[in-house]
Amino acid sequence: MTDAQWAVVERILRSTAQEYRQLVGGSEPSSQLCCPPKGVELRRDSEQEFRFLLCRQLELAKDFYYSVESPTRNNYGKGRRGNVDVSLWQSPPQGKANQSPVFNLELKSSNPTAASIRNDLNKLAQEPSRGIFCLAMPDDNWQQKFKKVQKRLIDEMRNSTPTSQQIGASTGLGVFITLPQKGEFFHHDHDWPSIAHWVSTIEIN
């Protein structure tokens, strides 16, 4: 994995985040994707909007092939394989069972639980691909939500077990966060505890 490939992914994620903030913030959209309301003054928000916009940016950039809900190489839970939200490939897999994507991305929006964060972090670390945890915060009460999610993310990263990092540590892990009015934050390192310190430095006041 070269620094150049990390830089390409960062550029694509930043472009995606800019479109996402326009979409959930009610600005003039840059694509045909729309965000219907779920209440009087609230817009629907989920990681699905971020994923659709990410796929759009991947199509425009043409730096990677991509797949969605891709089966993992390893088993989790009760001996079952999981699924990865978005995987980036250097070339189409074409049925080669031993071929791994260059990057795996797990996407979360708004206020994910500690359990869902833990599941994604472990999944990314145990796969033989570079893993990136992406968090997209919508406009609605985002400061309060982010403070809670930030603490959960830090706690889960610091408490991650050596077993869950034995593969990820050799390939690289990263975190991408987009916040209203604050922009994008991206960092990658060799394990989750190292990244946890970086996450703790993000200030929103």
Side-chain angles (χ1 to χ4, degrees), residues 7-155:
V8 169
V9 171
E10 179 181 2
R11 171 174 53 80
I12 292 172
L13 286 172
R14 287 184 182 276
S15 297
T16 302
Q18 291 168 13
E19 282 199 306
Y20 176 81
R21 291 200 303 276
Q22 289 179 343
L23 176 66
V24 300
S27 301
E28 186 69 23
S30 54
S31 72
Q32 298 301 104
L33 181 64
C34 60
C35 218
K38 62 178 181 180
V40 178
E41 296 181 352
L42 299 178
R43 290 177 178 270
R44 175 189 127 91
D45 59 80
S46 76
E47 61 267 19
Q48 297 306 323
E49 281 77 21
F50 192 89
R51 174 159 65 174
F52 293 144
L53 293 173
L54 172 59
C55 292
R56 165 180 152 83
Q57 287 298 324
L58 288 166
E59 290 283 354
L60 292 172
K62 300 187 182 303
D63 293 292
F64 298 102
Y65 293 89
Y66 67 93
S67 59
V68 297
E69 294 297 327
S70 307
T72 59
R73 289 280 300 274
N74 297 313
N75 294 331
Y76 302 94
K78 299 179 181 179
R80 298 176 181 176
R81 289 189 177 187
N83 290 312
V84 177
D85 288 340
V86 179
S87 297
L88 309 185
W89 305 78
Q90 202 67 60
S91 59
Q94 298 179 338
K96 299 177 182 177
N98 63 343
Q99 189 173 351
S100 296
V102 182
F103 288 99
N104 283 326
L105 286 75
E106 286 291 334
L107 315 177
K108 284 289 182 282
S109 174
S110 191
N111 195 17
T113 65
S116 66
I117 292 173
R118 184 185 316 124
N119 179 67
D120 283 354
L121 296 182
N122 288 338
K123 187 192 306 180
L124 290 171
Q126 292 183 60
E127 286 296 294
S129 302
R130 290 79 185 172
I132 303 177
F133 179 88
C134 302
L135 175 66
M137 297 298 294
D139 279 3
D140 180 41
N141 297 322
W142 73 270
Q143 293 95 336
Q144 295 179 354
K145 290 179 181 178
F146 179 69
K147 288 179 180 178
K148 295 177 181 178
V149 177
Q150 184 181 32
K151 184 180 185 305
R152 291 175 200 152
L153 189 55
I154 293 169
D155 289 344

